[in-house]
Amino acid sequence: MASILSLRRRIRTAGNVSKTTRAMQMIAASKLKKAQDSAVLSRPYVEKLSALSKNLSGKIETDNLHPYMKENGLENTLYIIISPDKGLSGGLVSNLTRELFESTKNKNDIFITIGKKAEPGVFSLDKEVLASFPFGTSLPPFETVYPVIKLVNDYFLNNKVGSVKIISTKFTSVFSQEPVIKEILPVKFEEKSEGTNGMLFEPAIEDLLPSLLEHYIEMELYQNLLESYASEQAARMVAMKNATDNAKEIIKELQLEYNKIRQEKITNEILDIIGGQFAYA
Amino acid sequence: MKLHLEVITPEKVILEEDVDEITLTTATGEISILPNHENLLTKLMPGEMTIKNNGKEEHFAVTGGFLEVSENRISLLAEYAVRASDIEVGKAEEAHERAKRKMAEHKNDNEFRIAESELRKAILELKVARRNKIRTS
C-alpha cells in the first residue's frame, strides 16, 4: 500500500515543523521577558515627560512658541511606521498595514519605515518613502532614534510636512497588541491652565522648553520602538505556540490514520494466509 | 509635612517615597528643596542628589534631566540615577577607561556622542562613590 509510506513521510514532516516552531517559540519567550520589562518600566518616564512637555507648552506666550509647537498649515503628514524585520508573528504586520492604509489619506504623505515588514505595504501606496531603517532582532539601542529624529527635524522644521505621526504596535499584554497611531509633532499643548502663575522656571521657560521638547520627542520615539519590539516577541511567541499545537494535532490525526491502515493491512495479510490454508487443506 | 519624591528613569522608577529634604544640582546651581517649596521646573545637571529623611541621609548619582516641584510633589526625570552605595567602583572605572578609549578612536559622531555620555556617567559615578566613601569611613 503506497499511502502508508506517504503517511509516514507526512508524520515526519509535521514532526520537523513542530520542532522548528517550538524552537522559535522558546526563543521569542526568552526575548520577551527583557523586552516586556524595558517597554513597561520605561512607560512612567515617557508619560511624565509627555505630561510635563504639554503642561509647560501651555504656559508659554503664543508669540514665543517653540518651532516644535508651531502649526504650519500643511496638510500632509510624515509617517514613521515601525514593524519587525522578520515575519511569523501572527497578525501583527497585517494589523499594522491595515492601520496604515486607513490613516493615510493625503497623497503628499511621506514615509519613514523602521523594520523590513512594513516596506511592502508602504511601497504599494506609491508615495514618497524618505528612508528605510532596519529594526534588528534584538532590543533596539537608543542610537536608533538619532538618524530618524534628524530626518524628522529636517522635514518638520523646514515646513515640508504639517505633522509627524508614528504608527507602531502597543504592547498591552502577551496576548494582545494593538496597532496605534500617535501624533508627535506639532506638540499639542494644553490650554493655559490655572496654575500658570505659581510656577517658577529656572532657567527661563524659553531656555528650558527646547531641551525638554527635544528630549521628549526622542523618548517618545524610543518608547514606540520598545513597545514594538515587545509586541513582536509576544506575537511571535503566541503564533509559534499555535503552530506547534497545530502540528501536534496533525501528527495525532495522521498517526491514527496510519495505525488504522497498518492494522487493516495486517488483517488482510492474516486473512490471506488463512484463506490459503483453507484452499490447501 | 513631607515631600513626595518620585525618581523616574527610562529604565525604571528608581524611588518613590516621602522625604524631608532634597538637595541637587540644577542648571543654576545647587539647590535644596524643603516642604512647601514654590512650584518649580528646572533642568538638572549631572551631580549628586542628597535626600534627607527622618535624620538619615541618602546619596544618589544623577545624570541630567528635569525636575518638577508641584504642590509638594517632586518628580525627577533623569536619564540615569543610581544609589551611591550601589555604585560599583570597579565597573565604573572600567567604563571610564573604555569610554576614553572609544572617544580617542571616535569613528563617527554617533559613537563619539555615546562614548562621551558614557564617560560623563562614569566620572560622575566615581565622584559620588568617592565622596560617599569618605563620608562613611
Side-chain angles (χ1 to χ4, degrees):
Chain A
M1 222 181 269
S3 76
I4 201 158
L5 219 103
S6 75
L7 268 179
R8 207 182 289 161
R9 207 175 291 143
R10 281 171 67 191
I11 290 172
R12 200 167 44 216
T13 316
N16 286 341
V17 168
S18 77
K19 261 185 218 156
T20 316
T21 53
R22 177 139 184 83
M24 290 184 75
Q25 178 198 332
M26 310 271 252
I27 293 170
S30 72
K31 284 184 178 175
L32 177 64
K33 179 77 185 70
K34 199 177 158 200
Q36 191 178 348
D37 280 354
S38 33
V40 173
L41 291 177
S42 65
R43 260 184 218 156
Y45 184 80
V46 178
E47 274 159 19
K48 189 74 209 174
L49 200 60
S50 163
L52 208 58
S53 308
K54 291 195 168 132
N55 187 6
L56 193 60
S57 308
K59 288 180 180 153
I60 198 159
E61 297 302 320
T62 32
D63 51 348
N64 217 350
L65 289 182
H66 186 269
Y68 274 161
M69 296 158 64
K70 280 183 192 146
E71 291 185 29
N72 52 24
L74 289 173
E75 279 179 7
N76 62 342
T77 303
L78 172 65
Y79 284 101
I80 304 168
I81 172 158
I82 306 174
S83 74
D85 261 357
K86 299 255 190 308
L88 293 177
S89 47
L92 189 108
V93 176
S94 47
N95 288 343
L96 209 59
T97 317
R98 195 176 324 123
E99 193 71 28
L100 165 77
F101 288 162
E102 275 168 19
S103 63
T104 164
K105 298 279 186 281
N106 194 308
K107 64 177 190 302
N108 292 325
D109 284 347
I110 301 173
F111 294 90
I112 295 175
T113 64
I114 303 177
K116 281 205 185 78
K117 282 288 157 186
E119 287 170 16
V122 173
F123 291 157
S124 75
L125 288 168
D126 212 17
K127 291 177 187 170
E128 191 183 341
V129 180
L130 198 58
S132 297
F133 297 96
F135 187 81
T137 49
S138 52
L139 198 70
F142 194 76
E143 298 94 88
T144 324
V145 303
Y146 294 132
V148 183
I149 294 294
K150 210 172 156 195
L151 284 172
V152 167
N153 282 341
D154 181 30
Y155 271 70
F156 186 77
L157 299 181
N158 295 328
N159 292 334
K160 291 182 201 164
V161 289
S163 60
V164 179
K165 289 181 186 165
I166 299 179
I167 305 182
S168 70
T169 317
K170 187 174 164 61
F171 177 85
T172 29
S173 77
V174 174
F175 300 101
S176 133
Q177 306 89 29
E178 297 159 47
V180 283
I181 293 196
K182 180 147 196 186
E183 184 171 300
I184 54 165
L185 287 174
V187 174
K188 291 272 189 310
F189 46 88
E190 284 158 13
E191 288 304 307
K192 292 203 176 219
S193 46
E194 67 284 358
T196 315
N197 302 323
M199 197 102 180
L200 200 69
F201 300 102
E202 281 173 5
I205 185 164
E206 288 77 14
D207 301 324
L208 213 51
L209 202 54
S211 51
L212 183 66
L213 288 182
E214 276 159 31
H215 187 55
Y216 163 61
I217 299 294
E218 280 176 7
M219 277 315 296
E220 185 72 68
L221 179 61
Y222 188 57
Q223 178 65 21
N224 274 288
L225 286 173
L226 291 180
E227 298 264 352
S228 295
Y229 180 68
S231 301
E232 177 194 345
Q233 301 307 337
R236 179 161 305 129
M237 190 184 87
V238 172
M240 288 301 108
K241 178 160 184 349
N242 289 339
T244 312
D245 290 350
N246 287 343
K248 293 233 169 90
E249 191 65 27
I250 288 173
I251 292 174
K252 222 166 108 188
E253 275 166 28
L254 289 176
Q255 190 73 48
L256 198 69
E257 206 176 323
Y258 173 83
N259 289 350
K260 257 190 211 156
I261 291 174
R262 196 183 72 102
Q263 215 159 31
E264 216 174 272
K265 207 177 137 197
I266 292 169
T267 314
N268 281 339
E269 274 168 13
I270 293 173
L271 281 178
D272 272 355
I273 293 166
I274 294 171
Q277 239 173 2
F278 270 119
Y280 190 72
Chain B
M1 191 73 217
K2 291 223 177 195
L3 287 159
H4 185 78
L5 172 70
E6 261 184 310
V7 181
I8 312 172
T9 71
E11 259 169 54
K12 62 177 181 201
V13 178
I14 299 272
L15 187 80
E16 191 176 355
E17 61 181 27
D18 290 333
V19 299
D20 291 325
E21 186 190 333
I22 163 170
T23 306
L24 31 72
T25 322
T26 73
T28 46
E30 198 175 70
I31 60 165
S32 285
I33 298 165
L34 290 165
N36 293 325
H37 192 281
E38 193 173 7
N39 292 346
L40 168 78
L41 194 113
T42 183
K43 205 176 163 186
L44 216 59
M45 296 316 257
E48 191 177 31
M49 171 175 79
T50 308
I51 298 170
K52 276 191 201 147
N53 196 15
N54 301 329
K56 267 189 286 183
E57 272 191 21
E58 260 196 297
H59 303 274
F60 287 78
V62 181
T63 63
F66 297 94
L67 175 86
E68 185 197 33
V69 184
S70 170
E71 315 290 332
N72 282 325
R73 297 181 67 85
I74 302 184
S75 307
L76 196 151
L77 292 172
E79 278 148 44
Y80 177 78
V82 63
R83 214 176 282 263
S85 52
D86 289 348
I87 297 174
E88 291 173 54
V89 177
K91 263 193 186 164
E93 267 165 4
E94 226 171 75
H96 185 207
E97 287 307 310
R98 198 172 47 233
K100 264 207 287 196
R101 209 170 45 238
K102 275 217 172 126
M103 275 176 81
E105 287 173 14
H106 104 270
K107 288 184 198 121
N108 55 45
D109 282 358
N110 253 347
E111 272 183 34
F112 189 76
R113 196 150 39 149
I114 296 157
E116 199 186 0
S117 73
E118 291 275 319
L119 183 68
R120 254 195 239 123
K121 197 170 107 183
I123 292 175
L124 173 74
E125 282 196 346
L126 287 173
K127 200 170 91 185
V128 173
R130 223 163 273 151
R131 243 196 269 173
N132 193 44
K133 210 175 159 196
I134 293 168
R135 253 192 310 255
T136 48
S137 61

